Amino acid sequence: MVSEHSDAQADETAPLALKILVAGGFGVGKTTLVGAVSEIKPLRTEELLSEAGQLVDDTDGVDQKVTTTVAMDFGRITIRSGLSLYLFGTPGQDRFWFLWDELSQGALGAVVLADTRRLEDCFPAVDYFEHRHIPFVVAVNCFTGSRTYGAHDVSRALDLDQGTPVVLCDARDRDSGKEVLIRLVEYAGRMHTARLLDSVG
């Protein structure tokens, strides 16, 4: 017979998996980030850009891009023993935004990737998560050759709610991506705790 004390201990050590979205504009590095940090071979749903898509996909600033995500990217990373993150990269083009509602179900929070050369491209993702009260951090993907802006400048340009974290990162670098995810988990944890306290206060 298993005691209640043993059950409690089992619950405390039960592995925890959290769902995280990686969103942002077209060509900002979402697939790259998921691939860089994932400890499993990431699931990708990329297709070659076509001539038909040129009419709806704005490739200014990302002329080298030859593929696009049409459903989602998926990866997994263990932050520490007993805590794993399931990463869902969202498609960047507005014609695929209908998938966002499905992908955001049950998400702890989101990373909004931003490119300072095309900062306006991440406005839809910022608006989406703000309106749905989903905690998010803005991660500025520092592309080679692009002008560097400070976190405060980006926060002001995006008119973010006070306290929304802005971090600089390199989506290609695993350690850099992991730091972004840790910041998100910490921030989302504080936000969810504050909401829980407000609801019982």
Side-chain angles (χ1 to χ4, degrees):
M1 179 178 174
V2 179
S3 69
E4 290 182 12
H5 180 67
S6 298
D7 289 342
Q9 283 183 323
D11 289 341
E12 287 176 8
T13 58
L16 180 63
L18 303 173
K19 182 179 183 181
I20 301 295
L21 299 187
V22 180
F26 178 62
V28 77
K30 300 178 297 294
T31 298
T32 300
L33 177 66
V34 172
V37 300
S38 181
E39 61 200 17
I40 61 172
K41 183 178 180 180
L43 167 68
R44 293 181 172 151
T45 57
E46 289 196 308
E47 295 292 339
L48 290 172
L49 290 171
S50 65
E51 287 187 22
Q54 289 177 353
L55 300 175
V56 289
D57 295 332
D58 179 10
T59 57
D60 286 345
V62 285
D63 306 344
Q64 310 286 326
K65 189 169 174 62
V66 295
T67 61
T68 184
T69 299
V70 295
M72 67 172 185
D73 298 311
F74 174 77
R76 186 190 72 210
I77 179 174
T78 300
I79 295 296
R80 58 172 170 73
S81 178
L83 176 60
S84 297
L85 304 182
Y86 289 159
L87 309 175
F88 291 82
T90 65
Q93 304 97 306
D94 54 5
R95 70 181 190 273
F96 295 125
W97 284 348
F98 67 92
L99 292 169
W100 286 33
D101 287 337
E102 290 295 326
L103 291 174
S104 64
Q105 291 292 322
L108 173 78
V111 173
V112 175
L113 269 178
D115 177 354
T116 55
R117 300 170 302 179
R118 313 169 85 211
L119 201 56
E120 67 280 359
D121 289 359
C122 71
F123 277 123
V126 168
D127 288 343
Y128 182 90
F129 297 121
E130 281 185 346
H131 285 114
R132 286 159 182 79
H133 305 291
I134 297 174
F136 68 94
V137 302
V138 173
V140 180
N141 192 8
C142 299
F143 287 89
T144 303
S146 64
R147 182 177 169 187
T148 302
Y149 293 87
H152 180 69
D153 294 328
V154 173
S155 179
R156 192 169 52 191
L158 294 175
D159 193 25
L160 297 176
D161 290 341
Q162 187 174 7
T164 302
V166 176
V167 294
L168 306 182
C169 75
D170 181 344
R172 302 165 300 180
D173 182 76
R174 187 176 196 274
D175 289 337
S176 180
K178 188 173 179 179
E179 282 301 314
V180 170
L181 296 172
I182 290 171
R183 278 290 294 277
L184 171 62
V185 171
E186 291 173 346
Y187 175 64
R190 291 196 302 270
M191 292 292 289
H192 285 294
T193 299
R195 290 172 188 168
L196 183 62
L197 292 174
D198 285 344
S199 68
V200 299

